[in-house]
Amino acid sequence: MNIVHITNSLRGGGIQNFLLSLLPEQVMQGHKVWLIVIEKFDYDYCNHLAGILRRKGVSVICLEKIKHNRLSMLKTIYYCRRNIKKIAPDIVNTHGEMSHIYGVFSVLYRKIHQVITVHNAPEIWPKSYHFFCRKKPLIFCSEAAYDMRRQKSIFMRTIENGVSPSIVKTQDKVDLRQELSLKETDKVIVLVGSLRPQKNYIFLKQIVDEAKDSSLHFCICGGSYGAGYISKSEFNGYENNIHLLGLRSDVSAIENTSDLFLSCALFEGLPIAVLEAYFNGIPCVLSPIPQHKNIANVDKVWIPESFEPKEFIIAIYNALNEKMDHEVIFKRRESQIMKYAISTTCQKYISFYKDVFKYC
């Protein structure tokens, strides 16, 4: 099968990390796979991810759209359509709101099926998207994404996100205590994801104020890209306890030496960063949202009762009291989390594509 995936960017995030697992797995299972990236590579991390994909047999095409430029959008829609004509895929699978419209115009008047993956819970579309995409087959990345959907289609299925253990797990170790000149007794708490409001990183200030514990260090692996993102200046005065590390390609190595993974997100799809933390064997504290509760039947996971800072602090200290080695935690979790292995997810995607051929 010839499969084209389209995504907005390669700057890092849940969608990008999911594609980093799914696309090479589709290649391994005998399919020809392309990734079309809409926005230009404006960070080294974009080239880093593209390089990994290419080395694993995925053809990567960048349309080099300029952000917030309508003329550039029209040009890149044309280029996307031209590439789809040249490749002549069996399926175009789009990931991220903007990519859905690129997919619509790329397959227009062509006998090519477009499948839309909904990655958020909920994923909010403008009215125009609902109009253009109303008949497209939909994949929801989690039960929560399906339950909280704003989309309608005659052909929908939930396929839970997965990750590739070979990508997620590493024997490398990066100790942030050394990098940040911390004490050996300090506790390193890792958060992963770009500085979008839904990640709720501002809430960390309330936790720091409530805990009054100088040994707690919250380390955020994720970038801020201007409008619509949390400004780094929001954390002025909290630099002793909240560390903005920017985009990191060594998250697994960081988690190997850290004490705890934390998500205080307000909403998610099926959070890839949490799945990665599960496979890395690090204790996890997750915010009390449906998307986390639905996947929390895993060893060494704590969920606070509410978004009160005190509740998070109780959960954090309970998790920090866990002295079990990460590899031991992974072994205890292994049977619980193998359903999130990318091989299973990939097989379900291919099965859905084949059903689209039959019924749509």
Side-chain angles (χ1 to χ4, degrees):
M1 191 181 299
N2 291 347
I3 308 164
V4 169
H5 295 269
I6 304 177
T7 192
N8 301 347
S9 74
L10 277 186
R11 292 191 195 94
I15 291 175
Q16 291 80 2
N17 286 350
F18 173 64
L19 295 176
L20 194 64
S21 289
L22 177 65
L23 275 56
E25 183 66 28
Q26 289 182 338
V27 172
M28 286 179 61
Q29 293 191 16
H31 306 283
K32 294 191 68 175
V33 182
W34 290 258
L35 175 64
I36 295 178
V37 182
I38 296 170
E39 293 185 351
K40 67 186 299 184
F41 292 178
D42 48 1
Y43 289 84
D44 288 340
Y45 193 77
C46 303
N47 291 305
H48 170 71
L49 292 188
I52 293 174
L53 289 167
R54 286 174 175 137
R55 288 192 294 273
K56 293 181 178 291
V58 179
S59 299
V60 181
I61 300 168
C62 182
L63 302 179
E64 299 194 346
K65 178 186 178 295
I66 300 170
K67 291 178 70 175
H68 313 303
N69 185 309
R70 290 186 179 181
L71 178 59
S72 181
M73 181 174 184
L74 292 174
K75 286 182 178 179
T76 50
I77 285 176
Y78 167 75
Y79 293 141
C80 188
R81 183 170 169 82
R82 189 171 67 177
N83 275 290
I84 295 299
K85 180 181 179 181
K86 181 179 178 181
I87 296 168
D90 301 296
I91 285 285
V92 170
N93 193 167
T94 56
H95 307 264
E97 292 90 331
M98 180 170 59
S99 75
H100 304 329
I101 291 299
Y102 276 73
V104 166
F105 288 108
S106 294
V107 304
L108 190 64
Y109 304 124
R110 292 172 176 163
K111 293 181 179 179
I112 300 172
H113 291 289
Q114 178 188 359
V115 170
I116 289 174
T117 299
V118 176
H119 283 276
N120 236 328
E123 188 170 289
I124 307 299
W125 292 358
K127 289 183 179 179
S128 59
Y129 283 47
H130 285 281
F131 175 78
F132 284 115
C133 301
R134 66 190 185 279
K135 295 183 180 180
K136 302 293 184 181
L138 303 175
I139 295 174
F140 292 88
C141 73
S142 66
E143 292 294 342
Y146 179 82
D147 292 341
M148 302 173 72
R149 68 191 183 280
R150 303 289 179 86
Q151 295 78 18
K152 295 180 180 179
S153 174
I154 59 172
F155 204 68
M156 301 185 292
R157 189 172 300 169
T158 298
I159 303 177
E160 291 186 321
N161 279 348
V163 296
S164 172
S166 65
I167 292 176
V168 173
K169 290 180 68 63
T170 179
Q171 298 303 312
D172 295 340
K173 294 184 178 181
V174 173
D175 194 341
L176 292 180
R177 293 172 188 81
Q178 296 177 6
E179 184 175 316
L180 300 173
S181 300
L182 306 180
K183 299 176 183 176
E184 285 298 317
T185 55
D186 285 341
K187 303 301 181 183
V188 174
I189 301 169
V190 179
L191 302 93
V192 179
S194 60
L195 275 68
R196 290 177 293 160
Q198 78 178 66
K199 295 297 184 182
N200 198 27
Y201 293 140
I202 296 297
F203 183 60
L204 293 176
K205 296 195 292 186
Q206 296 182 50
I207 293 176
V208 169
D209 289 340
E210 185 71 28
K212 297 181 176 63
D213 185 345
S214 62
S215 72
L216 300 182
H217 293 267
F218 301 90
C219 303
I220 302 173
C221 301
S224 178
Y225 307 110
Y229 288 82
I230 301 170
S231 170
K232 295 179 181 179
S233 64
E234 290 282 351
F235 301 96
N236 288 348
Y238 287 83
E239 294 88 350
N240 288 338
N241 294 94
I242 301 175
H243 309 275
L244 306 181
L245 306 184
L247 270 172
R248 298 291 293 240
S249 60
D250 54 356
V251 171
S252 179
I254 288 172
E255 290 183 355
N256 283 343
T257 62
S258 299
D259 299 287
L260 178 64
F261 174 90
L262 170 65
S263 173
C264 47
L266 298 171
F267 64 93
E268 292 280 5
L270 181 62
I272 294 294
V274 173
L275 300 187
E276 292 174 344
Y278 284 176
F279 277 89
N280 279 328
I282 186 171
C284 297
V285 171
L286 310 177
S287 58
I289 58 177
Q291 300 91 322
H292 287 153
K293 292 178 180 178
N294 287 353
I295 62 170
N297 189 24
V298 172
D299 212 35
K300 306 305 177 187
V301 175
W302 289 260
I303 295 186
E305 293 292 327
S306 70
F307 272 97
E308 288 295 322
K310 287 183 179 178
E311 297 292 341
F312 270 76
I313 291 168
I314 291 170
I316 286 170
Y317 282 125
N318 285 338
L320 289 175
N321 286 332
E322 182 54 60
K323 304 301 182 183
M324 196 175 293
D325 183 83
H326 289 188
E327 192 59 32
V328 175
I329 294 175
F330 168 71
K331 291 297 183 184
R332 291 172 61 119
R333 288 175 175 170
E334 194 166 12
S335 63
Q336 301 166 332
I337 62 178
M338 286 315 294
K339 66 178 181 179
Y340 299 121
I342 197 63
S343 57
T344 301
T345 302
C346 180
Q347 290 166 7
K348 291 179 179 179
Y349 262 74
I350 298 302
S351 177
F352 184 78
Y353 296 159
K354 291 178 179 177
D355 287 345
V356 168
F357 298 150
K358 294 178 184 176
Y359 304 119
C360 295

